[in-house]
Amino acid sequence: MGRGRHSVLAAAVTVVCAVTLLGAPGTAFARALPDPAPPAAPASSSAPSLPPSTSPSVTLPPDQDLEAVRAELDKLYHDAAVATDAYNLADEKAKKQSAEITDLNEKIAGEQRKLDGLKERAGAAASAQYRTGGLPPEVQLMLGNDPQDFFDGAGRLLQSQRATKSLIEETTRAQQDLELYAGDAADHLRELEAGRKAKAAAKKRIKQRIKEAERLEAKLEKRQRERLAELERQAADQAQSAWLSTGILDELKGRASASGRKAVEFATAQLGKPYEWGAVGPRTYDCSGLTSQAWAAAGHPVPRTSQQQWQQLKRVDIKDMRPGDLIIYFDDASHVGMYVGDGAIVHAPRPGRTVTLAGAGTMPILGVVRPTTG
């Protein structure tokens, strides 16, 4: 890529970021920090006290105060993103465990029917022995008068003994299988219950963090919110410019595969749709819900959460990434976006935002993964 084209692309991406990040700045997430204490009242909030205005000529707080607000919001939404990943993972596990429990219940029912049938056969054999006076077949044969009957009966006796042994062995195996399946089902039920508790805890944490963020934002006047949005845009632009200044676009040479193009087409078709934690479309998405559905539409299902995508998909060097690849952000892999080319990603940022385009370098990059091996 020539220097002139690089300059044009860099300028274009900067314009894209400035426009598209207006409603969804890429810096909505920050590295994990200790949980802030939930504000009991405005006076005790960890954010600076911003008194309500009664006049259009209200003096805005210094930028450093709004920067503190922005940092606090970033922490809250990042914590919500981490909890969202935990929620999604617990939800996926619960679905899998429920399906396995259903399968085990079917196996238990089948083994129980089999065991019941074996018991009926054993009961029939016992009844037959009772009708012959309780004498073992060997004694009955020895008491017979006809030698030929004795030899004929001896063959039948051997068959009967083998059948009895087989019946006993089969009954024992069925009983063991039944106990094994029942034990597995009990283990899965315990795991399912633990998963439900983890899912409920994550859900509670998500709602708490979002509520705290909304409470903090509600303290701001309209002009303060506008200034805060401007500071967020500036931070995003600075991060993107710093990333582009490394010459990364000059290094990128990969072209999208056919499936990568399909994934990008799906993801960009969702632009403007609201973010919703735990959502996988079609009306709302969270970050990994968008990327997982995009690649499912391209014919290559990927893991549900950003952390699973980072752990399980093929990793590629940033300089080798191509449209459709997934960029994982932050040290805890709590956010993911899809690279669309020319230094930009499409992603679902956070609550209160919509699916949007952003600069790929507006958040700390952990690494890049590729859903396909080709």
Side-chain angles (χ1 to χ4, degrees):
M1 183 181 299
R3 298 298 300 177
R5 174 168 171 74
H6 172 270
S7 299
V8 172
L9 283 174
V13 170
T14 300
V15 172
V16 168
C17 294
V19 174
T20 60
L21 288 178
L22 182 59
T27 54
F29 299 97
R31 294 182 183 275
L33 294 173
D35 294 340
S44 62
S45 173
S46 58
S49 178
L50 301 173
S53 171
T54 58
S55 169
S57 61
V58 62
T59 301
L60 294 179
D63 282 356
Q64 58 265 31
D65 287 352
L66 282 177
E67 280 289 356
V69 173
R70 186 178 70 84
E72 182 70 9
L73 287 171
D74 282 353
K75 285 194 297 181
L76 291 171
Y77 281 122
H78 178 268
D79 195 20
V82 174
T84 297
D85 231 30
Y87 175 91
N88 290 336
L89 181 59
D91 186 52
E92 288 295 298
K93 286 184 177 179
K95 291 176 182 177
K96 181 180 178 181
Q97 288 161 353
S98 294
E100 289 174 345
I101 288 172
T102 299
D103 182 58
L104 285 169
N105 283 337
E106 292 176 355
K107 289 181 178 179
I108 288 171
E111 288 301 318
Q112 187 61 61
R113 288 192 296 269
K114 181 178 179 181
L115 191 59
D116 291 342
L118 292 170
K119 288 180 177 179
E120 281 187 17
R121 288 168 55 189
S127 297
Q129 185 175 1
Y130 176 78
R131 287 194 299 272
T132 60
L135 292 176
E138 297 95 328
V139 176
Q140 295 180 42
L141 288 171
M142 291 177 66
L143 294 176
N145 295 322
D146 189 336
Q148 186 60 46
D149 286 345
F150 176 83
F151 287 114
D152 291 344
R156 291 193 297 272
L157 172 61
L158 183 59
Q159 293 177 353
S160 176
Q161 289 174 334
R162 290 173 177 171
T164 300
K165 181 181 179 182
S166 176
L167 178 61
I168 293 172
E169 291 175 347
E170 192 173 359
T171 301
T172 301
R173 283 195 301 272
Q175 185 67 48
Q176 291 173 341
D177 289 344
L178 186 60
E179 292 174 356
L180 178 63
Y181 293 146
D184 286 347
D187 290 341
H188 278 70
L189 282 171
R190 283 191 291 271
E191 292 175 2
L192 180 60
E193 182 59 26
R196 284 173 175 166
K197 290 180 179 179
K199 182 178 173 181
K203 181 178 181 179
K204 182 179 179 180
R205 189 173 185 85
I206 294 167
K207 290 187 172 182
Q208 285 177 338
R209 292 300 181 260
I210 293 175
K211 186 175 181 180
E212 290 170 28
E214 291 173 344
R215 186 185 298 126
L216 180 57
E217 289 179 298
K219 295 178 182 179
L220 302 176
E221 289 285 330
K222 179 181 178 182
R223 293 173 63 193
Q224 294 167 339
R225 289 195 294 271
E226 290 173 350
R227 179 56 181 158
L228 179 63
E230 178 62 25
L231 292 174
E232 291 176 343
R233 286 194 296 273
Q234 289 177 3
D237 290 345
Q238 289 171 3
Q240 177 71 356
S241 295
W243 185 67
L244 291 176
S245 69
T246 63
I248 187 65
L249 290 185
D250 293 332
E251 296 291 332
L252 294 177
K253 301 176 182 178
R255 290 190 174 187
S257 62
S259 55
R261 284 193 295 271
K262 290 180 181 178
V264 170
E265 288 171 1
F266 179 95
T268 53
Q270 314 312 310
L271 288 170
K273 293 186 177 181
Y275 176 101
E276 181 182 4
W277 59 268
V280 292
R283 293 184 295 274
T284 58
Y285 295 89
D286 63 18
C287 68
S288 57
L290 176 65
T291 55
S292 62
Q293 290 304 299
W295 272 101
H300 292 273
V302 299
R304 169 65 177 89
T305 72
S306 58
Q307 292 178 349
Q308 288 177 309
Q309 290 169 6
W310 173 243
Q311 293 167 358
Q312 299 179 28
L313 299 180
K314 176 186 176 183
R315 299 182 186 181
V316 296
D317 195 285
I318 291 179
K319 65 181 178 61
D320 296 322
M321 71 179 176
R322 63 194 188 193
D325 287 347
L326 305 181
I327 303 181
I328 310 298
Y329 293 96
F330 306 107
D331 290 341
D332 53 10
S334 58
H335 190 63
V336 60
M338 179 180 291
Y339 186 64
V340 296
D342 288 340
I345 60 167
V346 58
H347 72 146
R350 66 163 173 85
R353 302 291 192 252
T354 61
V355 175
T356 187
L357 292 172
T362 56
M363 296 168 284
I365 296 176
L366 177 62
V368 179
V369 293
R370 180 167 297 161
T372 58
T373 56

